[in-house]
Every structure is written in C-alpha cells, then in structure tokens.
Amino acid sequence: MNQDIRALSYAEALREAMAIAMEADERVFLMGEDIGVYGGAFQVTGDLIERFGADRVMDTPISELGGAGVAVGAALGGMRPIYEFQFSDFAMLAMEQIANQAAKMRFMLGGAVSVPVVMRFPAGSGTGAAAQHSQSIEAWFAHIPGLKVIQPATPHDVKGMLLAAVADPDPVMIFEHKLLYKMKGPVPAGHYTVPIGEAEIRCAGRDVTIVATSIMVHRSLAAAAELERENISAEVIDLRTIRPIDRQTVIESVKKTSRLICVYEGVKTMGIGAEISAMVVESEAFDFLDAPILRLGGAETPIPYNPDLERAAVPQTPAIVEAARRLVTAKA
Amino acid sequence: MAKAKTTKRPDAAGGNRPFIYNRYAPRQLREALAKMQRIRRFEECAEESYMRGHIHGTMHLSIGQEASAVGICMPLNAGDQLTSTHRGHGHCLAKGAEIARMFAEFFGREDGYCKGRGGSMHIADVANGNLGANGIVAGGLPIAVGAALAIKKLKKPNVVVCFFGDGANNEGAFHESLNMASIWKLPVVFVCENNGYGMSMSAARSTAVENVADRAAAYAMPGVIVDGNDLSAVAEASQIACDRARAGDGPTLIENKTYRWRGHSKSDRNRYRTKEEIEAWVAKDPIIRFQDEMKSQGIVDDAAIAEIRAAVEQEIEAGLEFAKASPPPRIEDLTRFVYTDPIP
Ligand SMILES: Cc1ncc(C[n+]2csc(CCOP(=O)(O)OP(=O)(O)O)c2C)c(N)n1
Ligand SMILES: [Mg+2]
C-alpha cells in the first residue's frame, strides 16, 4: 500500500476513490443528477467530468426511478455503474428498482447473474433542509436481503469502502452523512479497500460499549472524551456496515464492558438500535449484561425546519454522555 | 390533439389591446402589478436575510418569473386551489398570502404558515387554497390531480392549478398524473414554468421533445406554449384553461417559457450557462414590461408606480418586524403535528 498520507475531506476522498476506480476499470462510470459541470449537489463529483468526459460522468434527467433502473440494467449488462442520488430522500422514487429488481435479480434467476451496482445517498439532518431533504432511511435498505448497506464515517473509510463497493459483485448502497462531506482526515494515496462487513473499534474502553453509525461515531467519540474526565471508560464501535452487521466485534465488546448504548440518527423505533440490541441479547453476551440496553435514535417526527427543533430531533453529544453516565452509575 | 399551440396575443374583440385590459378593471391591474412587485421585493429581502445568516437552510428564488405566478392566479377564485414547487414563494403570494407570515416561516417561528416546521421549501397557505410548496420534484402533480378528483366528487365549482418546473416533466409522476387527469376529465390546470433549466441541466439536454407542452398530445389534452414573461398572455391562457376545467372538459397543459435570474439555490456557481444568456433575460424583465404596457394603456403613471412600490416596501418592513417578534416553537413541541391525535 502507498504510504503517502494526506489530509482530505470526506468529499475529496470519495472523488479520489471514484477517479481511481474509473482509471483502473473502463467499465466503471458515474450517473446522477447534476454530477457533470455542476459537480454534484454536494460537490462530490467536482471536476471529474473534466477528467473523464461526459460519457463517463453522465448527467441524468430528473428521473430517479429510471436513472437507478438504468444503472441496474447497465450493471447486468456488464458495466460497473456508480449512481448518485442527490439526496437519500429521493431514493423513495427509485425504491422499486432497488428493492424489487437490484436486490432480488440474482436470487430470482438462480444465481445466473449478479448486479454490481453502487448507489450513493447523501443523508441526514443538520442543514436546515427540512422534512423531505434530511432523512436517515438506511435501516429501510438494511431490511432487504440482497443489498449491502454501508455508512462510512471518515474520509479514510469512505474511500476504501467505495473501492470495496465497486469491486463487490452485489449491489452496495452507501449512505453519506451530509455533515461529513467537509470533515477532513488522513487518507492514503492510491488504491486500498476497507472491507464491507467489518466494524472498527474507534476508542477502546472498559465500562460501556457505544455502537454508533456515521456522524454519530464522531458525537460518540466526543462523548467518550468527556466521560473519560469523569473516569468513565467508553468503548466506541463504528459499525461502518449495517448489512451485513459485524456481530462478533459488538458481542465481544459487550462481553468486556457489560453495558451497551446504540446511537444512530434514523428514527429510534424499528431502527438499527433494535437490531443491535436483539442481536446482543440473543447471543452469549446476554449473560454479561449489567444494565438495560439503551437506544439513542431520531425522535418520532419528520425533521423540522426550525434549527433548534432540528437539533433536538437527533442525538447530540450531551445526550450520549448523559446516557452513559446513567448506565454506568445505575448498577454496579 | 396535435402539436402544442402558441396563444394569440391580441384579443379579437378588444382591438389591439392585450387580453387583460379588456378583462380586468384598472384597479385589478394595479393590484396585479403590486403582486409582482411584492414577489420581487419579498424574494430580494429574503435573499438578503439569508446572506446575513438570519434565515437558515436553503431557498430557491423565482426572481424573473413573476408574471407566471401572478398571471396564472388571476382567474382563480377563493375556493380554487394550487400545488406549488420548491420555487414557490411567488405562487404563495400570488394566491394571496401575507408577507409577514411568510417571513415568520422563513425565520422558523410559530406565526409562520407552517409554524416554523416547513421553511421556504414547504411554504403553504392552506386557508387561501395553496396546498404547499414541495421538496420533491413532481411531488405535487399527483396531489393536484387528487385534489381535483375531490372537487369533482364533491361537485364543487373549483379548479386546481398545478405548478411544476421543466425538470419535473421527466419524472414518472408527471406522465401518470397527466394521464389520469385526462381519462377522468378532472378540473386541473397543469402549469409548467419552463425556466430553461432543472438545476444545471438545460431542458434541451434533459427532454426529448422541444416543448414540454408537446407532451400534452400524448395525454389528449390541449398543450399551450406561452411567453411566460407576458402577464397578459399568461392570464389569458390560464383563463381559457380554467374555463375548460370548470366546464367539465378536463385538464390543460400550459407551458410558460421564462427564466430564473438567480442560481438554482445558494450553492450554484452558474457554470452551466453564460453571463450573456442571463443578461439577455434580465433585459426581458416581466415587471418592467407590464409597467410599461400599463403606462402606454394609460392605467398607471410614474407616480402611481412609485406609490405601489412604497406600499410594498412598507409591507416588507412591517413583515420583517412581525417575523422577528414572533416566538420560536418550544422544544417540548418537537413531535406536535406528526399525528392529528398525538401518540403517547
Ligand atoms: C425527486 C427529486 N429529485 C431531485 C431533486 C433535487 N432538485 C430540486 S429542484 C431541482 C431542479 C428542478 O428543476 P425544475 O423542475 O425545472 O424547477 P426549477 O428549479 O427550474 O424551478 C432538483 C434536481 C428533488 N428535490 N426531488
Ligand atoms: Mg426549471
């Protein structure tokens, strides 16, 4: 692996990954709305059209069902498309092609085909874009056998996981939190992959396990730093992939700390936290639990426009600190 | 139905006077001008508040498209409804909304039309028949058809105007909606505000036909191409379409050719169009055009125009004051309005 490490933003890391994938493989191309001269709604594709041309950085009309379906068809036909949704909320217009077609094609045809399509979804709240542009719907996708669903939280991971996704023979859905795009972090130059399906322990600890996804990894790390000052040692696990989930890393951690908090931005009910909790109580880690499992998720509401309500609608660092404190001091 | 038609400007009965001068009284025409001014100044001030960080999120300005919003709404009655788009401030004001409550919404306050929950992209005024802007391109089309179905079933004398952009005409919802409105002969007027671009993609690049109105033929309804910066032409096309809808003859597709002066939203660097193109359209300012026309018809003079402007400025100032003084929602009310009967 190339040892040259630079500080890149999440968006730059993604762009670099797509460029590397396109340079390495003629079959890789990009589709999406305003990804050409506009550079993408969040400037992720940026100048790629200048480097690869309009045939490989294809602007589509505003036609999500058709666009995503064409990407699925192109993948079936031997290409390696990367389809960008402008906002994850618009995936709902394309759900038919994603859930009924891409996810099931290989199975329905008895393994005769595979669908190596990658779809990218800018997700999450915090930008004041209100109820139809701020959702975290990744759990919907994680409910569908046939899809792989990832939520990289750092520039390093998003590059490596995008490259892993392009190489993957099955459909991979990447949920990218919009507030991460400008976040910088160390990114190695050249080609490398971060495997889909492996969680990462971001900070080791003894007293409580915090399993977090996407932006919540950063809020959980901030919470862990604060808890450290109170002599509470939190272990933060960045789940990275929500389908398939890395059960072993979570279960081993809970066996060590005996306490579990799940933190995610999607609506709390029927969400990722329910799955992680059930997974843990169904496992041998159940016997190690010293306290109830806590879930911190999005409030039971669409995302409001008013900025104070918007902040209150999803977990913030103080709530994570408070939850950990409560769990650790409740019972010994 | 064959190819889309362009409306004939001069009204046969009224000699060479454009349609609106025969149809409307001078007072109504001055009110139409005031509405266009109100939209322009409201958006300029909203933009300024946004730049200063007083309004958060995003916004889409319709500056340059005022004749489309106002002209289409001229034949509408109190009970008529409309569905709007992300670029919906003009539609809202044209249907009679108050500047003060719109600003309050943009500031995220309880007195806003959506109680601070929706913001610019969901601006609505349900009491006045505006069922709301929409964050989803083409999201309003089926809803307009459904509202028109309700009108038909309830035997009301009303129509629904459905605004959408050129970009929306490539969504499946557009095609499904036009077809259903046509087979059920529903009282809906589809209004495509073709401002040349859906974000960065020109209509020429995105759309297989030359005119969006050409697509009306596929759904057996009239398709009408209108100079969207000509208030009279827009109002005339709307009148004909509304009459047809009220008579039970079904929908019409109107295409107002216009242009947005500003970028798509805050993040736009205008790399997909030229400065010359923008300038050429700014020179076709629909407000100046209407003002000049009214002057030549002897309906207003410079003093009357200045008076209208001064009144609009006052309204804006008072509106901003009102919005700033309005209380924000309480955090305890985070899940209010999710359900009609709150779930414990
Ligand atoms: C389903 C969906 N796709 C994409 C978007 C992002 N988006 C918002 S407005 C817009 C352009 C719409 O163009 P047009 O319909 O011509 O309206 P205009 O902005 O020109 O008024 C796009 C792509 C969206 N809001 N909804
Ligand atoms: Mg447009």
Side-chain angles (χ1 to χ4, degrees), chain B residues 56-73:
Chain B
H56 89 142
T58 188
M59 69 167 63
H60 307 87
L61 302 170
S62 67
I63 294 176
Q65 306 182 186
E66 294 87 350
S68 171
V70 173
I72 289 292
C73 290

Side-chain angles (χ1 to χ4, degrees), chain A residues 5 16 19 26 37 39 42 46 57 71 82 84 93 109 118 160 165 205 214 277 317 322:
Chain A
I5 294 179
E16 183 168 282
E26 276 292 321
V37 288
F42 295 96
V57 182
I82 303 176
E84 174 180 298
L93 285 84
L109 274 51
V118 175
S214 192
S277 307
T317 302
E322 164 57 27

Side-chain angles (χ1 to χ4, degrees), chain A residues 34 37-38 43 59-64 86 90 93 127-130 132-133 299 301 305-310 312, chain B residues 55-57 105-106 108 116-119 121-122 134-136 170-171 199-201 205-206 267 269 271 329 334 338:
Chain A
D34 306 285
V37 288
Y38 197 93
Q43 296 301 306
D59 273 334
T60 65
I62 309 174
S63 308
E64 288 80 8
Q86 214 159 66
F90 312 153
L93 285 84
T127 65
Q132 294 174 334
H133 285 72
T301 176
Y305 165 69
N306 173 281
D308 296 326
L309 289 186
E310 183 182 20
Chain B
I55 294 175
H56 89 142
E105 186 57 37
F106 290 17
R117 271 63 169 190
M121 213 166 8
H122 302 292
N134 210 308
I136 302 301
N170 294 310
E171 288 282 17
M199 222 159 139
S200 70
M201 203 173 192
R205 282 175 66 218
S206 73
S267 59
R269 287 176 292 171
R271 286 210 295 212
L334 178 61
V338 179

Side-chain angles (χ1 to χ4, degrees), chain B residues 20-21 29 33 231 286-294:
Chain B
I20 45 171
Y21 300 96
L29 295 172
L33 177 61
L231 184 79
I287 299 184
I288 302 221
R289 180 164 168 185
F290 183 43
Q291 266 175 200
D292 289 349
E293 208 180 77
M294 289 232 286

Side-chain angles (χ1 to χ4, degrees), chain B residues 77-82 92 95-98 113 125-130:
Chain B
N77 305 322
D80 296 333
Q81 295 175 313
L82 65 81
C92 201
K95 193 73 174 65
E98 285 169 42
Y113 276 111
D125 176 12
V126 176
N128 267 321
N130 179 353

Side-chain angles (χ1 to χ4, degrees), chain A residues 37-50:
Chain A
V37 288
Y38 197 93
F42 295 96
Q43 296 301 306
V44 172
T45 47
D47 62 355
L48 289 179
I49 189 163
E50 282 154 41

Side-chain angles (χ1 to χ4, degrees), chain A residues 11-300:
Chain A
E12 288 164 346
L14 255 173
R15 189 180 316 138
E16 183 168 282
M18 291 191 284
I20 290 172
M22 283 199 282
E23 259 154 22
D25 186 345
E26 276 292 321
R27 298 171 304 168
V28 178
F29 71 105
L30 315 182
M31 289 177 71
E33 291 162 20
D34 306 285
I35 65 169
V37 288
Y38 197 93
F42 295 96
Q43 296 301 306
V44 172
T45 47
D47 62 355
L48 289 179
I49 189 163
E50 282 154 41
R51 295 171 55 189
F52 295 96
D55 284 345
R56 295 185 76 192
V57 182
M58 285 178 72
D59 273 334
T60 65
I62 309 174
S63 308
E64 288 80 8
L65 174 64
V70 168
V72 171
L76 266 178
M79 300 299 287
R80 294 262 168 177
I82 303 176
Y83 183 83
E84 174 180 298
F85 282 88
Q86 214 159 66
F87 284 77
S88 67
D89 312 68
F90 312 153
M92 293 172 205
L93 285 84
M95 225 48 196
E96 196 285 305
Q97 286 293 322
I98 297 171
N100 278 330
Q101 311 298 341
K104 297 176 175 54
M105 196 76 71
R106 178 175 169 77
F107 175 81
M108 293 185 300
L109 274 51
V113 298
S114 56
V115 184
V117 67
V118 175
M119 296 190 185
R120 300 184 32 248
F121 306 88
S125 68
T127 65
Q132 294 174 334
H133 285 72
S134 304
Q135 298 170 82
S136 297
I137 55 169
E138 50 279 347
W140 301 17
F141 293 74
H143 192 66
I144 303 170
L147 301 181
K148 295 182 179 177
V149 186
I150 64 178
Q151 290 186 276
T154 66
H156 172 278
D157 283 2
V158 82
K159 177 176 170 185
M161 292 185 96
L162 184 287
L163 286 166
V166 171
D168 199 291
D170 292 318
V172 180
M173 313 283 116
I174 310 184
F175 286 83
E176 305 157 6
H177 200 291
K178 283 165 263 175
L179 296 182
L180 293 176
Y181 282 132
K182 293 201 167 129
M183 184 175 281
K184 288 208 165 191
V187 177
H191 185 279
Y192 66 92
T193 56
V194 171
I196 292 167
E198 280 183 22
E200 169 95 343
I201 297 173
R202 293 276 171 210
C203 142
R206 300 175 313 271
D207 301 327
V208 55
T209 296
I210 303 176
V211 175
T213 55
S214 192
I215 187 105
M216 294 303 159
V217 170
H218 301 280
R219 292 188 190 154
S220 299
L221 285 169
E226 215 170 307
L227 290 162
E228 187 71 50
R229 290 197 285 276
E230 301 175 19
N231 274 324
I232 295 173
S233 165
E235 176 147 304
V236 177
I237 297 178
D238 175 355
L239 205 54
R240 299 203 291 201
T241 300
I242 59 170
R243 185 177 193 94
I245 290 183
D246 179 350
R247 300 173 73 248
Q248 217 44 44
T249 300
V250 175
I251 287 166
E252 289 310 320
S253 176
V254 174
K255 279 161 73 177
K256 183 172 68 170
T257 65
S258 307
R259 295 178 188 86
L260 173 63
I261 301 175
C262 309
V263 194
Y264 49 106
E265 181 161 326
V267 171
K268 179 179 165 184
T269 309
M270 302 283 167
I272 295 164
E275 184 55 40
I276 304 280
S277 307
M279 191 183 88
V280 166
V281 299
E282 282 171 351
S283 78
E284 74 265 25
F286 176 70
D287 291 328
F288 292 78
L289 282 172
D290 278 345
I293 297 171
L294 287 186
R295 288 175 294 159
L296 298 182
E300 307 295 317

